[in-house]
Amino acid sequence: MPLLSVTAAGTEPDIDETRLNAALDALPAEAPVIVMVHGYKFRPGDRRHCPHRHIMSLDPDPKASRALSWPRQLGVGAAEEPLCIGFGWPARGSIWRAWAEAERAGAALARLMARVAARRGAPARVIAHSLGARVALTGLSRAPEGAVGRVILISGAALRSDAAAALAGPAARTAEVVNVTSRENDLFDALLELLLAARDRAIGAGIGAPARGWLDLAIDDARTRAALEALGHRIAAPDRRICHWSGYLRPGLFPLYRRLLADPEALPLALLRRLLPEEPEPRWSRLLAPPASNLRPTLGAAPAERT
């Protein structure tokens, strides 16, 4: 099955070039190459925290928390399957250490995407969660023109300055970013700003001004979900006030991500902009709203092993 594992070794991707080239050469011309980037608390090779045994595996341990197979959700094993590349990087330790590692891993990701594009003659596509969004944006900022296609960031632990640098890079001339946000992630966004941002803002608040190639997708917004349902994608409503993982665990989202990545022409950003609300709901609006019957008061104690 077309699934490869890569680990960032500093600013270089550690990968078997022969195996990568063989997988790229065997892939049908219309099939996408999707690089999957995990977030905080994973570390490749770690017995308990290896992403290649968890969300980047075809068969993750069902006892592990939030153990949803990304490659299966993206179509590996189905008809017209993509080539999925699990991109692992050292994301354990303090948040400050992982933040620095994310920048180094982003340089390695840029090199990987450049190799894929050079061999394939087509850009790589990316899906990233949490602190993996900083990896993805750093990769976008450093990749050459034509190396990056559509990028999906889920509850991104990244800043507007990261986004600005990415959009100023040569790869951004042809790349597109779908920034998946939710008011369920407000607490995590606020903590990121408190610990790392000084006067910057997290991308969960959007990037502050419209930009070519960038779209904010507020999946907890009822207007957004209605627009997506009209396009054939019914997304479950949020059932928690606070959650960092609903952006990939909530029913209906991965079929949307798969379509966004596999067939960008079917859901162009211009179409989505016309249908989606112009302004997101303000921060804390979900936390401070009166309780709804389908909302749990809090997330509860989140497992500390993987995010």
Side-chain angles (χ1 to χ4, degrees), residues 101-172:
E101 289 288 354
E103 184 171 8
R104 286 187 282 271
L109 175 62
R111 290 180 168 87
L112 172 63
M113 293 188 295
R115 292 179 192 178
V116 169
R119 184 79 179 192
R120 182 96 170 130
R125 300 163 196 181
V126 180
I127 183 168
H129 174 247
S130 184
L131 197 50
R134 176 166 161 83
V135 177
L137 290 172
T138 302
L140 178 56
S141 73
R142 300 190 183 192
E145 185 174 357
V148 187
R150 185 166 278 180
V151 178
I152 295 177
L153 308 178
I154 306 169
S155 301
L159 302 174
R160 285 178 172 176
S161 55
D162 297 314
L167 293 174

